[in-house]
Amino acid sequence: MRTRDLLNLHNTGHPGINALFAKAHSADWDFEKDVDWSLPVEPDDPLVGHAWAAYGKTATFQALPEPAKTHATRRSVGRMLNILQVGESVAQNVCARLVLTLREEDYRNHAAAQAMDEARHHLAYRRFLDAMGEQVEDIDAGTEMMFDALLSMDDPLELIATEQFFLESFAMNIFEGLRREATHPLLRRIVELITRDESRHMGFGVLYVAEWMRRAPLERRIAFARRWMGQILGSLLDRPGPIMLSRVIRRLREAGVADAERLGPRMLREQQEINAAELAEAVSGASVPHLLRSARRAGLLEPEIVEALHLSDEPLIRGALRGSIDAEAHA
Ligand SMILES: [Fe+2]
Ligand SMILES: [Fe+2]
């Protein structure tokens, strides 16, 4: 880009996206002053309710001795915070690239403000991990590949659809779960402050995709929705299974549970029942996941698209469309 390209930047005049930039300042928080970093993080504190972690709700896990449960739960929290801290740095890179690529003044401004939020989130997670004072498990190959793919993109639609629209909607359910289940006040505080920022980021993704959908011909809209609805439904159906179980068993072995392997099949069976119940809740429309809410708000669940993708009878989609009526009635 040259000076001439920046001389008369065009503002799309989108009221929602312009408002996000103002909100980034009015809803700002101070990394040092708004968080009490002096709160100790004791080594025997599970930090969240055991039910937060995968397999933590199973009767078999619940019946284990407290120190073993604490070890497994802390490991799980550490692993998640490690994924989040690097995810924040990835998001910061995405935003920096968006600033350099986008030509619209309001879009660039949002991306610049978001980059600063992500820098702050990264610091907050890192500082909490340091306070925990233990080795964290490495991030898994699938997550690393997904982040690598995102870091190699340069088309704004691809970048925004992946980061703000998909990943940040996906992460929103993780943040809400952490905030609800956190028992450590410092962890709860930082997740609460971060979630406030993340809902603006997700909002930008929804508004940007909605604008694109409004302009694109039906055929391109359908192709876009096909790709992203596949991804969204895939990730919603991806519930704790054998890979996650092997992690839990390893953690329990580390904590001295000698028969950890033997407990595996029972925990898997119990978790499968929990998975089914949670899925049933999404299907009923009682709790529509953020991914489906974002899809609906961005126009991916419009009747002509749902029909073209043969999704009319998909229970999760029907739940999301049913849930929409309730959500709007409360608004
Ligand atoms: Fe973030
Ligand atoms: Fe974010």
Side-chain angles (χ1 to χ4, degrees):
M1 231 182 271
R2 321 261 318 207
T3 309
R4 284 279 142 195
D5 300 318
L6 297 170
L7 194 57
N8 291 302
L9 279 177
H10 168 67
N11 191 301
T12 68
H14 192 297
I17 291 176
N18 277 282
L20 285 175
F21 185 65
K23 255 190 239 162
H25 295 84
S26 60
D28 206 4
W29 52 280
D30 186 317
F31 172 72
E32 294 291 352
K33 294 200 192 101
D34 292 324
V35 181
D36 183 3
W37 292 106
S38 71
L39 286 167
V41 180
E42 305 296 348
D44 58 349
D45 184 340
L47 311 170
V48 300
H50 295 306
W52 172 79
Y55 292 92
K57 282 198 193 90
T58 62
T60 303
F61 184 92
Q62 300 265 342
L64 289 165
E66 207 52 42
K69 288 197 281 189
T70 297
H71 175 81
T73 300
R74 269 182 84 102
R75 282 295 200 181
S76 190
V77 171
R79 173 178 172 269
M80 179 56 76
L81 296 184
N82 192 35
I83 292 173
L84 290 173
Q85 67 83 11
V86 66
E88 301 293 351
S89 298
V90 171
Q92 196 184 354
N93 276 36
V94 167
C95 290
R97 178 152 295 177
L98 285 172
V99 173
L100 296 178
T101 319
L102 288 165
R103 300 291 177 120
E104 297 85 355
E105 182 183 56
D106 42 342
Y107 296 178
R108 288 161 45 94
N109 288 349
H110 167 81
Q114 185 180 335
M116 191 175 109
D117 291 342
E118 306 302 11
R120 183 171 50 199
H121 301 169
H122 167 79
L123 280 178
Y125 288 131
R126 276 247 67 116
R127 191 143 166 191
F128 191 84
L129 280 167
D130 287 346
M132 282 174 69
E134 60 193 41
Q135 274 249 311
V136 286
E137 293 172 7
D138 197 9
I139 64 166
D140 51 288
T143 304
E144 184 169 3
M145 283 162 72
M146 180 186 66
F147 285 158
D148 278 341
L150 177 54
L151 290 168
S152 71
M153 294 173 186
D154 47 29
D155 171 54
L157 177 66
E158 274 281 291
L159 283 162
I160 296 169
T162 309
E163 174 63 45
Q164 281 96 337
F165 175 72
F166 178 76
L167 281 177
E168 295 193 302
S169 299
F170 178 75
M172 198 50 108
N173 280 89
I174 296 175
F175 299 137
E176 287 183 352
L178 261 178
R179 196 178 43 173
R180 202 174 46 240
E181 302 286 342
T183 49
H184 194 285
L186 173 54
L187 177 62
R188 196 169 52 227
R189 178 68 177 154
I190 60 177
V191 174
E192 174 188 281
L193 290 165
I194 289 172
T195 308
R196 215 161 70 189
D197 298 338
E198 296 300 349
S199 77
R200 285 195 306 277
H201 306 168
M202 177 180 75
F204 174 74
V206 169
L207 294 175
Y208 184 93
V209 171
E211 276 304 301
W212 182 85
M213 292 286 283
R214 220 163 51 80
R215 293 200 174 85
L218 183 61
E219 208 174 305
R220 289 197 65 196
R221 270 186 282 149
I222 292 171
F224 180 87
R226 177 172 286 119
R227 169 169 172 209
W228 287 105
M229 288 318 296
Q231 187 104 0
I232 287 171
L233 291 173
S235 73
L236 291 174
L237 294 168
D238 178 27
R239 302 275 155 167
I243 295 176
M244 196 64 93
L245 179 65
S246 64
R247 259 186 223 129
V248 175
I249 290 174
R250 195 181 59 226
R251 291 167 187 158
L252 292 176
R253 255 200 330 253
E254 286 164 5
V257 179
D259 59 347
E261 304 282 351
R262 204 179 48 80
L263 301 175
R266 207 163 71 206
M267 275 205 287
L268 183 61
R269 245 186 346 265
E270 291 165 357
Q271 182 63 44
Q272 277 164 348
E273 273 169 40
I274 294 164
N275 293 346
E278 284 173 357
L279 214 49
E281 204 179 59
V283 164
S284 74
S287 78
V288 179
H290 281 285
L291 276 170
L292 287 174
R293 280 193 230 177
S294 293
R296 196 190 69 222
R297 286 175 60 206
L300 275 71
L301 298 185
E302 287 302 305
E304 67 271 28
I305 292 177
V306 169
E307 202 175 308
L309 301 182
H310 307 290
L311 286 174
S312 318
D313 292 325
E314 164 55 47
L316 276 170
I317 302 293
R318 284 166 55 182
L321 291 170
R322 203 165 31 235
S324 72
I325 300 158
D326 296 335
E328 263 138 37
H330 288 300

